[in-house]
Amino acid sequence: MTVEQAVHPSPNDSGDTGEALPGLFSRLHAAATLTFATVMFLTGFAALAVVPTLPTAAEDLDGVPLFPLVAGSFVAASLLGGVLGGHWADRSGARRPLALGMVLSVVTLLVSASSLSIWQLVVGRFVDGLAAGMVAVSVTTAIGQSYPEYLRPRMLAMMSASWIIPSLVGPPIAGVVAEAWSWRVVFYGLAALTALPAVALVAVLRRAPAGDDVRAADLPPAEERASRPPLLVAALLSLGAALGQYGVSGWDTRHLLFVAAGVALLVVFAPRLLPAGTWRSARGLPTAVLLRGLTSGTYFTVEALVPLMLITERRVAAVTVGVAFTASAVLWAVASWVQGKLLQDVARHRLVTVGALVMAASVVFAVVGSFSGVSPLLAMAAMPLAAIGMGMLDPCVTVLSLSHSAPDRLGHTTSAMQTNMNLGQVVVLAFATAVLNAGLAAGASRLGGYAIAFSLLLVPTLLVAVLAVRARKDANP
């Protein structure tokens, strides 16, 4: 299937012929649909089982103060993986970076499982982030390359739906295993379960006919394709993100110097990987990319700090927190299905606004649930509520971004989205953690510090609700 065929058909193309347009499981798209769904199933199962165990692992390795670095190293590496995967996908199709990302995702489980210190766990999460960045960009690029515009919202909804089964069994089982045996068993078990399917998937991708991806003959001439990616810029940006995450783990001169160095690298190099005007919300693609960063940053911070607070401060069992992760993944998939199927005629930017307001409500739950006299279940409810908002708005932001992109720049666009998504996660989590640690240094209680940190998340969610209109499809780039 060529880029020209993939991009231009629309629901109106059937015209007077009366013929039904191809669906996701039509002969034309079935192979690609099943392949991408398999990738999401494997990555979802691993991710949803690993994340709930990270606070327990950090506590066991005497590294709770460095937990932001454990979470942030994943994000920092995703910056580099996204840039590399996006450029690679633009030049030769998405199959190869997707295959490499799947192999690396198995390797990182073994590295993390054998951790003897918090720093080895950081390295494992870094490799995982590199793989995740390549996989995420490759899959999104492949969807843009392989499906017409009218099928993209449905395919993105299916990507979320592919996480339903992993979300139902992954976090609860991981919580039980971590409680009964060890968090290490979770990592080793996931490596064993995913190794063979990952190898099989790589073999399938290598044998896939050229028509299932972008053929070399269909790509623009080499001189017209995206230029060589600024890998040095991406590497320095990843370094800045890692330095910042380490710096906010303390509140002394040394840590502040790390924060200053990280911020300097982000300010200098981030604009080189983003569309011009992203940070000032220029209409069209720049605003869509900005929205991805703000929403992902908020959700990631809720997903990282709420479980940490529940496990280390409120002493909620890991298996209970795993149930919250399960509910979050299921509700994300349901909300994504609703926007792609039942609300497909609603303007995408309006759904982004609705999703952002739902996320703002989840932040209020997190704040109130931080008070010692309130049941911790209220804070735990913030996670699935935030997932509803993200399931509603995240596919819409992706569709808006792709609609502003030329066919031969889809990889570049998805790479920019991935970059700003990771930047948003780094900046928002680092800022919330810095506020938390500053409050503790000033003598505030730990729960009070969490409440203050969570309250700051209202700012990005409300900004998204206001700015969404600037990303609408008919906005001028």
Side-chain angles (χ1 to χ4, degrees):
M1 182 177 186
T2 66
V3 172
E4 187 73 16
Q5 291 171 323
V7 172
H8 293 292
S10 68
N12 296 323
D13 287 347
S14 55
D16 299 328
T17 65
E19 296 181 359
L21 290 169
L24 292 179
F25 291 97
S26 64
R27 184 176 181 181
L28 186 61
H29 300 301
T33 298
L34 291 173
T35 298
F36 299 150
T38 300
V39 169
M40 286 297 99
F41 180 87
L42 291 173
T43 56
F45 191 85
L48 289 169
V50 163
V51 172
T53 67
L54 290 178
T56 303
E59 189 172 34
D60 183 55
L61 295 171
D62 297 323
V64 171
L66 290 175
F67 183 78
L69 183 59
V70 174
S73 61
F74 176 92
V75 179
S78 296
L79 290 168
L80 181 58
V83 171
L84 178 60
H87 177 77
W88 195 353
D90 266 347
R91 295 186 66 85
S92 59
R95 291 201 307 269
R96 292 175 182 174
L98 181 56
L100 179 58
M102 291 300 299
V103 172
L104 284 177
S105 66
V106 176
V107 172
T108 187
L109 290 168
L110 297 175
V111 174
S112 298
S114 59
S115 294
L116 300 178
S117 69
I118 191 67
W119 290 105
Q120 184 175 341
L121 185 61
V122 168
V123 171
R125 296 301 291 163
F126 184 89
V127 178
D128 195 15
L130 187 65
M134 296 180 67
V135 169
V137 168
S138 299
V139 170
T140 305
T141 301
I143 289 173
Q145 292 172 340
S146 303
Y147 295 90
E149 187 171 345
Y150 74 92
L151 282 180
R152 291 174 187 171
R154 302 179 198 175
M155 189 59 201
L156 291 168
M158 176 170 284
M159 293 297 93
S160 296
S162 298
W163 285 53
I164 291 180
I165 294 178
S167 68
L168 290 174
V169 299
I173 291 177
V176 171
V177 171
E179 290 281 341
W181 289 285
S182 168
W183 59 269
R184 298 180 189 275
V185 177
V186 175
F187 282 89
Y188 280 124
L190 287 171
L193 288 174
T194 59
L196 184 58
V199 171
L201 181 61
V202 170
V204 169
L205 291 172
R206 292 186 63 183
R207 293 197 305 267
D212 289 342
D213 208 333
V214 177
R215 300 177 185 176
D218 294 327
L219 290 168
E223 63 272 12
E224 297 179 10
R225 299 180 207 167
S227 58
R228 183 172 296 277
L231 292 180
L232 178 59
V233 173
L236 291 172
L237 197 58
S238 295
L239 176 61
L243 291 176
Q245 292 294 348
Y246 173 71
V248 298
S249 64
W251 202 251
D252 52 33
T253 302
R254 178 169 63 89
H255 284 86
L256 290 177
L257 289 175
F258 276 104
V259 170
V263 170
L265 288 173
L266 293 179
V267 170
V268 171
F269 294 107
R272 302 188 186 187
L273 298 179
L274 303 175
T278 295
W279 288 354
R280 57 181 174 83
S281 189
R283 292 184 179 273
L285 179 61
T287 293
V289 173
L290 175 64
L291 298 182
R292 170 59 66 85
L294 293 174
T295 54
S296 296
T298 301
Y299 183 77
F300 183 77
T301 301
V302 169
E303 189 183 53
L305 294 187
V306 168
L308 184 66
M309 179 192 71
L310 292 174
I311 291 175
T312 62
E313 302 300 327
R314 305 300 297 271
R315 295 302 168 183
V316 176
V319 65
T320 304
V321 176
V323 171
F325 276 98
T326 294
S328 298
V330 171
L331 291 174
W332 182 317
V334 170
S336 182
W337 180 85
V338 168
Q339 66 79 33
K341 191 71 173 179
L342 302 182
L343 302 177
Q344 57 184 333
D345 295 329
V346 179
R348 300 290 98 183
H349 69 277
R350 296 187 186 279
L351 294 179
V352 172
T353 298
V354 173
L357 293 176
V358 173
M359 291 187 68
S362 77
V363 170
V364 174
F365 273 63
V367 173
V368 177
S370 300
F371 299 147
S372 58
V374 178
S375 170
L377 296 179
L378 191 62
M380 194 164 65
M383 298 166 62
L385 189 58
I388 293 175
M390 282 296 288
M392 181 71 68
L393 67 82
D394 191 64
C396 298
V397 171
T398 301
V399 170
L400 288 169
S401 299
L402 294 176
S403 71
H404 291 300
S405 178
D408 63 318
R409 300 287 286 176
L410 292 173
H412 178 80
T413 296
T414 53
S415 176
M417 288 192 295
Q418 180 79 8
T419 296
N420 210 44
M421 179 188 78
N422 294 333
L423 283 174
Q425 293 173 356
V426 167
V427 171
V428 176
L429 177 61
F431 189 61
T433 304
V435 170
L436 171 62
N437 289 332
L440 296 178
S445 67
R446 294 194 66 86
L447 288 178
Y450 277 109
I452 296 172
F454 290 142
S455 66
L456 296 175
L457 299 180
L458 285 171
V459 175
T461 54
L462 295 179
L463 273 177
V464 171
V466 172
L467 295 175
V469 67
R470 299 177 64 84
R472 66 185 187 274
K473 186 175 179 181
D474 58 346
N476 295 323

